[in-house]
Amino acid sequence: MIIVMVPNADDAAVDRVVKEIERMGAQAHLSRGQFRTIIGAVGEEGNIDQNHLATLDQVEKVVPIMKPYKLASREFHEADSVVEIGGGNVPKMKVGGPHAMCIAGPCAVENQEMLNKIARQVRDGGATVLRGGAFKPRTSPYWFQGHGETALKWMRE
C-alpha cells in the first residue's frame, strides 16, 4: 500500500504515519522527494487499516497496490481454477479452465410443472446445469418469496 503525504508534509506527520504502519505489523519504506513524501507499507494487506491511515494528519491519499481478491486474482494464482460439481445421482462435471459449461433456468421456481418444462428446454438447448431461485428475499412480504426447500426438491427431481 502507498501512502501519499500532502506537499511539504512535516516530519512529525510522516513519523506518525510510520509509527501507525509499524503498529499494524507492517514495515514502512520512505521515499522523500523535494516536495512530497511517499510511504510504502509492506506487510499483510489485511492487517493494514487503510481507512485509519487516510484520516491521519497531512495524509493526502492511500492507494492499495494489491488486488483485493487474492484467492481469485491471477496475480496470486496463475493457474485456471477447475471445480468438480455433481455427485450422487448427478453425473460429476468439471467447471473452469478448458471446461466450459452452460447453466440456465428460471429466476424463480414458481411451480413444479413450470420447472419441469424449463428443465426440458434447458437440456434440449444444450445447457448442462439447471439453476433456479428457490428462496427469493423481497422488500415486501407480500411479494413472492419462493418455495424454499420444496423448490429445491423439485429441482433435484
Side-chain angles (χ1 to χ4, degrees):
M1 166 171 316
I2 304 287
I3 297 89
V4 180
M5 303 299 290
V6 298
N8 301 310
D10 61 51
D11 289 343
V14 172
D15 290 344
R16 170 78 198 277
V17 172
V18 168
K19 284 184 176 123
E20 286 299 302
I21 291 169
E22 291 171 348
R23 183 185 63 77
M24 294 175 196
Q27 293 178 332
H29 294 273
L30 286 173
S31 176
R32 291 185 188 264
Q34 185 176 357
F35 302 107
R36 189 178 300 268
T37 299
I38 308 287
I39 306 168
V42 179
E44 183 57 44
E45 292 274 328
N47 296 335
I48 302 172
D49 187 346
Q50 175 180 340
N51 294 326
H52 173 65
L53 293 174
T55 65
L56 296 177
D57 190 37
Q58 299 184 35
V59 170
E60 183 175 297
K61 64 183 174 179
V62 178
V63 182
I65 56 172
M66 296 276 191
K67 300 272 191 267
Y69 304 103
K70 290 181 183 177
L71 293 177
S73 169
R74 291 278 186 190
E75 189 174 324
F76 290 90
H77 181 70
E78 290 184 25
D80 290 342
S81 295
V82 177
V83 178
E84 193 172 82
I85 63 171
N89 61 350
V90 177
K92 288 187 177 183
M93 295 176 272
K94 291 184 178 183
V95 184
H99 309 283
M101 178 175 286
C102 181
I103 301 172
C107 174
V109 176
E110 295 178 15
N111 60 60
Q112 189 171 17
E113 181 182 335
M114 180 222 38
L115 180 65
N116 290 339
K117 181 179 178 182
I118 291 173
R120 283 189 292 278
Q121 292 172 336
V122 164
R123 180 198 59 211
D124 294 346
T128 51
V129 175
L130 175 68
R131 56 88 50 216
F135 298 91
K136 303 299 289 183
R138 308 287 187 178
T139 305
S140 170
Y142 301 106
W143 295 347
F144 179 64
Q145 300 283 314
H147 290 290
E149 287 187 47
T150 302
L152 293 175
K153 289 176 185 171
W154 294 338
M155 291 181 71
R156 184 177 202 157
E157 288 176 21

